[in-house]
């Protein structure tokens, strides 16, 4: 399995862990332990959970939770007026938070790659307009925070 595939698995696991934490009230350490021991790379009830780059998973989960006070205003500004983040469904909120964390704090990940990966994660959960919303919101955030890189990627 390639590093890219393992990172995709980590992103999916992070969204699932953030959702689980939001619903259950678990803390980061409990979620990390549970997902590493019981979910990542396993098949549960006929659903295969892909292998994941564990260090990347840990950074994304911890970082998304620790930096939430900086992340949420970025998402609120990028959402359509009248649709604050608190009105967004739980899984979608987890996808947007993890994607925004990567755009803000993981400068080693090209912005277009991060956006594309989280659109793929959204497709894992939704068949409607939600992946398009993820693409639009993360693209607005990327243009605001890392527009110079997006321009350079287009030229390259």
């Amino acid at each position: 399995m390639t590093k890219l595939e393992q990172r995709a698995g980590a992103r999916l696991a992070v969204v699932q862990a953030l959702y689980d934490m939001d619903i259950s009230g678990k803390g980061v350490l409990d979620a990390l332990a549970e997902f590493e021991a019981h979910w990542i790379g396993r098949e549960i009830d006929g659903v295969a959970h892909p292998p994941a780059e564990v260090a990347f998973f840990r950074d994304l989960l911890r970082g998304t939770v620790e930096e939430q006070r900086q992340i949420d205003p970025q998402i609120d500004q990028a959402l359509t007026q009248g649709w604050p983040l608190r009105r967004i469904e739980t899984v979608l909120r987890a996808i947007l938070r993890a994607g925004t964390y990567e755009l803000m704090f993981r400068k080693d990940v090209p912005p277009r790659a991060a956006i594309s990966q989280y659109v793929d994660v959204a497709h894992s959960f939704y068949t409607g307009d939600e992946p398009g919303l993820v693409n639009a919101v993360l693209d607005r955030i990327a243009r605001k925070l890392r527009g110079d890189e997006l321009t350079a990627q287009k030229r390259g």
Side-chain angles (χ1 to χ4, degrees):
M1 178 165 266
T2 68
K3 183 173 183 156
L4 196 60
E5 291 169 323
Q6 291 217 349
R7 285 204 162 184
R11 289 179 177 103
L12 181 61
V14 162
V15 168
Q16 291 169 322
L18 288 168
Y19 171 83
D20 186 47
M21 290 170 64
D22 202 11
I23 297 301
S24 70
K26 278 185 195 125
V28 173
L29 294 177
D30 288 338
L32 285 170
E34 180 182 327
F35 272 75
E36 288 177 33
H38 302 292
W39 291 89
I40 294 174
R42 294 193 167 57
E43 187 173 316
I44 298 164
D45 297 330
V47 177
H49 297 272
E53 182 185 326
V54 174
F56 191 64
F57 167 73
R58 288 176 181 166
D59 177 71
L60 293 180
L61 187 59
R62 279 192 181 121
T64 300
V65 172
E66 288 171 6
E67 303 297 344
Q68 191 173 323
R69 284 197 176 115
Q70 290 183 59
I71 291 168
D72 285 1
Q74 295 292 336
I75 299 169
D76 267 332
Q77 289 170 15
L79 284 166
T80 303
Q81 194 168 357
W83 279 96
L85 184 60
R86 69 180 182 278
R87 286 184 63 187
I88 300 292
E89 189 270 326
T90 309
V91 173
L92 201 51
R93 193 168 49 233
I95 293 169
L96 292 173
R97 282 178 172 155
T100 302
Y101 170 77
E102 265 195 72
L103 291 171
M104 290 176 75
F105 298 100
R106 291 298 304 237
K107 303 297 185 192
D108 60 313
V109 177
R112 287 194 197 288
I115 294 166
S116 173
Q117 288 283 309
Y118 284 101
V119 169
D120 288 349
V121 170
H123 279 293
S124 299
F125 295 100
Y126 302 103
T127 56
D129 296 335
E130 293 87 352
L133 174 75
V134 168
N135 187 48
V137 170
L138 293 181
D139 184 67
R140 279 185 208 122
I141 292 167
R143 288 179 190 286
K144 179 181 171 191
L145 301 176
R146 296 173 69 180
D148 53 333
E149 288 176 70
L150 290 172
T151 305
Q153 277 184 317
K154 266 189 186 166
R155 275 192 243 123

